[in-house]
Amino acid sequence: MDTAAGGREAEGSVHPAADAAAEVPAVADAPAAADVSAAAGVDVRTLALGAASGTVPLARDFTRSLLYDWGWLPAASADARAAAEDVLLVVSELVTNACLHADGPELLRVVRRAKVLRLEVADRGAGQPAPRTPHRSGRPGGHGMFIVQRLCLDWGIERSPGEPGKTVWAELAAPA
């Protein structure tokens, strides 16, 4: 279902990488886990954030290290550098929203495909993220989902029936 804000909400939907990512356990001593599915051309990395402090910088650092692993950083051009910075900004906005409006994020999942990078932030909140309308660029605060909407190819919310919380996801084009 499309939300009034431009994102999509899917109740009980599962994206193609969810089955592979569901097998990745969150281990207390090793909050980051990976499931690399080369045959499917999908690379899934997960960072458990539940009880971590400094979650926004932690999520950005985790994502930045992935961008280095995948050769997106250091960027070869200004456009590639801007694409990598957009990824880090969207991670910051999604995690910050979970901190401010949903009792904190549970995990960050980054799914890399050939042409699309999908960022997912799971939380236990019942809220409905949406860009504030009308958007007032001169006022502080309230810009997070507007930024996500402007920078991403698509974004939305997934909920599992009968379970608390949601996953807010956003997809960006992979740097060329």
Side-chain angles (χ1 to χ4, degrees):
M1 131 178 37
D2 287 342
T3 66
R8 293 185 295 148
E9 181 169 4
E11 197 163 311
S13 70
V14 177
H15 60 83
D19 291 333
E23 298 170 10
V24 179
V27 180
D29 293 337
D35 175 35
V36 180
S37 177
V42 177
D43 188 351
V44 180
R45 309 285 178 101
T46 303
L47 174 67
L49 294 168
S53 63
T55 55
V56 176
L58 181 63
R60 280 181 67 93
D61 290 346
F62 173 76
T63 306
R64 183 180 291 109
S65 72
L66 295 179
L67 297 179
Y68 274 100
D69 286 351
W70 295 329
W72 296 6
L73 287 175
S77 69
D79 287 344
R81 188 171 27 265
E85 288 300 323
D86 287 351
V87 168
L88 296 174
L89 178 56
V90 171
V91 165
S92 294
E93 295 300 338
L94 294 178
V95 173
T96 297
N97 272 358
C99 290
L100 294 175
H101 306 294
D103 299 325
E106 294 292 315
L107 67 85
L108 166 65
R109 181 176 296 123
V110 182
V111 181
R112 179 179 63 123
R113 294 188 180 91
K115 297 184 180 190
V116 174
L117 186 72
R118 181 177 173 113
L119 306 169
E120 302 176 355
V121 175
D123 64 52
R124 296 224 174 262
Q128 182 73 20
R132 288 190 185 167
T133 54
H135 180 255
R136 296 191 173 130
S137 59
R139 296 193 128 164
H143 305 289
M145 292 311 294
F146 179 77
I147 290 169
V148 169
Q149 183 176 30
R150 294 291 300 259
L151 293 178
C152 295
L153 299 170
D154 199 6
W155 72 275
I157 303 132
E158 292 179 350
R159 298 181 192 273
S160 296
E163 293 185 27
K166 65 189 168 298
T167 298
V168 180
W169 58 268
E171 295 180 340
L172 296 100

